[in-house]
């Protein structure tokens, strides 16, 4: 399966981050996998980033393929409300955030 990997550094206000960017062509689509960490932590995380990209394959597990997605509902609230009050007037106020 065709793939392309590159490493890039980006200077930030709090220091430099390093990105391992992987592009994988599969089934007529291009998938982009990013591994991002502080430059100093990159040697620790690089094996995980590489393993994730190298183990990319077609998903065949029926349990994962047949899941229903979570539903996200957006509501407008007045700017000056307390965060917790946003949930008290809604039908599903007893649900917790995940």
């Amino acid at each position: 399966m065709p793939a392309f990997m590159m490493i890039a550094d980006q200077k930030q206000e709090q220091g430099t981050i390093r990105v391992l960017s992987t592009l994988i062509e599969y089934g007529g689509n291009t998938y982009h996998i990013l591994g991002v960490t502080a430059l100093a932590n990159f040697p620790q995380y690089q094996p995980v980033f590489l393993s994730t990209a190298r183990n990319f394959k077609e998903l065949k597990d029926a349990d994962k393929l047949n899941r229903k997605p979570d539903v996200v509902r957006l509501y407008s609230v007045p700017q000056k409300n307390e965060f917790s009050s946003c949930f008290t007037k809604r039908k599903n106020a007893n649900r917790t955030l995940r």
Side-chain angles (χ1 to χ4, degrees):
M1 144 177 14
F4 177 77
M5 285 185 170
M6 62 184 148
I7 294 177
D9 294 343
Q10 173 65 48
K11 291 184 181 179
Q12 306 284 315
E13 289 180 16
Q14 295 85 16
T16 301
I17 60 170
R18 179 162 281 176
V19 179
L20 174 63
S21 177
T22 306
L23 298 168
I24 301 170
E25 276 187 49
Y26 180 78
N29 296 307
T30 301
Y31 297 88
H32 193 189
I33 300 171
L34 293 172
V36 181
T37 188
L39 181 61
N41 297 336
F42 190 79
Q44 175 186 347
Y45 289 106
Q46 184 177 14
V48 177
F49 298 157
L50 290 172
S51 176
T52 300
R54 289 178 177 150
N55 289 308
F56 179 90
K57 60 186 172 196
E58 180 179 359
L59 181 60
K60 295 181 180 182
D61 184 344
D63 181 51
K64 292 182 176 108
L65 290 169
N66 295 325
R67 289 187 185 178
K68 294 191 187 248
D70 288 337
V71 176
V72 176
R73 289 184 172 75
L74 302 175
Y75 298 98
S76 295
V77 295
Q79 259 184 327
K80 295 186 179 189
N81 270 3
E82 293 288 327
F83 182 71
S84 60
S85 71
C86 298
F87 301 100
T88 58
K89 297 177 184 175
R90 300 285 173 219
K91 176 165 73 170
N92 297 320
N94 60 344
R95 289 194 176 177
T96 59
L97 295 175
R98 288 191 243 171

